[in-house]
Amino acid sequence: MIGFEHKSYLGVKAASYNVRINPFRRTEVSCQLNSSMTWPVISHEEVLVKSKPAEPVIHERLHLSRRARRNRKSPTQRDAFQETHISPDNFIYPIFIHQGEVDIPIKTMPGRYMLGWRHSLIEEVAKARDVGVNSIKLYPKVPDTLKSPTGEEAFNDNGLVQRTVRLLKDRFPDLVIYTDVNFDAYSPSGHGGIVREDGVVLNDETIHQLRKQAVSQARAGADVVCTSEMLDGRVGAVRAALDAEGFHHVSIMSYSVKYTSSLYGRFRNVQLDKKSYQINPANSREALMEALEDEAEGADILMVKPALPSLDIIRLLKDKTLLPIGACQVSGEYSMIKAAGLLKMIDEEKVMMESLICLRRAGADLILTYFALHAATLLCGENKRNSIN
């Protein structure tokens, strides 16, 4: 009897087995465990034979009129025939801000911070511009003391977002700034609207406040206001309010397809039930209906959220409308890639770039992604190497 140690793939405690080698010819050798399993044993001579390169055995080659692999045989050809491309111009960089000066790490998002609204913010935007990312979106963390059921702080002309927009426009006049027309950051409930006593989110009453918020952001200098909650009629109402105040040049990016996804999170309450106004992830026709309605009301850009789980919807909208399509790669998508990368389960940079190019392939013209700075840095390095060669 011969003993050996067997280790499982998970590294649990090794188990000992007794093996009996049957005295058969070499071609009939087998290992028999005490169980009923029988495993073949390959002799040393057979290993040597099998390690030799396989010689092709072809009696007659296939008569193929087209061999697609011919166009993939060299790096130069593969690059020349690449159908989808991505550049820093396609990115919108989401930035979290708060009223203090100390950067606060976001625990569920490795490498992401809520930035102090002045110095750290300026530095981060400058870094983004250095690698070609000239579009940002601001997400405020409003102190609880400033929150209210009707969200008046959202349209305070001296509020955090408004002050930040003015600061950035003064420093970087050509920076494209997207702002969030949404109630959740300003309401103690965390909902995207005014909540009635029985828990119902009021549609028209909330939109009355969102109109004021959009105008206040435009007055501060926002280039694009983003109607990011799924409330009926919000795009038309905001467009009318902007035009009435003379902000015909300010664009609207509507979150036309915002699913009730479990991938949202960050520092907000992810346990809220928003199913009464966000879309069921199982529905695609409803998504198309919402998008076409927003287009009819005056939206300039249609956004889909989340991004990777919605590749089919991005393509659907691309085929059904002539408006630019955006994809919002949400916090959960970012954190999954980061976590798997930190655990060495994937190559983080390769998966990051693959996820972004897939969004472009599906039809996204703009990608709001927390990877914007990292991805743009890699793209810039790639361009420099290509120019040298």
Side-chain angles (χ1 to χ4, degrees), residues 321-389:
T321 177
L322 297 178
L323 291 181
I325 305 299
C328 183
Q329 192 176 49
V330 301
S331 56
E333 297 175 70
Y334 169 87
S335 295
M336 286 192 296
I337 294 174
K338 291 294 290 187
L342 290 170
L343 291 172
K344 306 300 181 185
M345 299 172 71
I346 60 171
D347 184 315
E348 180 187 321
E349 288 187 347
K350 288 182 179 179
V351 173
M352 170 187 72
M353 295 308 297
E354 182 179 341
S355 72
L356 297 172
I357 201 70
C358 287
L359 294 173
R360 288 280 292 135
R361 186 191 67 220
D365 302 286
L366 296 170
I367 303 172
L368 190 148
T369 175
Y370 301 102
F371 287 121
L373 184 56
H374 189 178
T377 301
L378 292 180
L379 290 170
C380 283
E382 222 172 75
N383 291 337
K384 287 179 182 178
R385 286 193 299 273
N386 291 338
S387 63
I388 291 172
N389 295 334

Side-chain angles (χ1 to χ4, degrees), residues 119-145:
H119 305 298
S120 295
L121 173 65
I122 293 292
E123 291 173 6
E124 193 72 2
V125 171
K127 289 178 187 176
R129 286 166 59 88
D130 284 345
V131 290
V133 178
N134 199 45
S135 298
I136 67 161
K137 186 178 179 191
L138 297 173
Y139 289 98
K141 181 67 171 68
V142 178
D144 291 343
T145 54

Side-chain angles (χ1 to χ4, degrees), residues 17 44 57 61 90 100 129 135 146 150 178 218 288 292 301 308 319 367:
Y17 297 96
H44 179 66
V57 180
R61 290 195 176 275
N90 299 120
R129 286 166 59 88
S135 298
L146 296 178
T150 50
Y178 293 70
L288 177 60
L292 294 179
I301 307 164
L308 279 177
D319 291 341
I367 303 172

Side-chain angles (χ1 to χ4, degrees), residues 96-99 114 139-144 147 160 185 267:
F96 302 121
I97 53 173
H98 71 110
Q99 298 202 121
M114 282 186 287
Y139 289 98
K141 181 67 171 68
V142 178
D144 291 343
K147 296 180 181 181
L160 176 59
F267 43 81

Side-chain angles (χ1 to χ4, degrees), residues 9-38:
Y9 289 103
L10 298 177
V12 296
K13 186 177 179 180
S16 296
Y17 297 96
N18 291 318
V19 178
R20 183 172 66 254
I21 306 297
N22 290 337
F24 300 145
R25 295 193 308 274
R26 178 178 57 80
T27 56
E28 297 174 337
V29 173
S30 66
C31 285
Q32 295 182 350
L33 301 182
N34 288 341
S35 68
S36 60
M37 296 177 60
T38 301

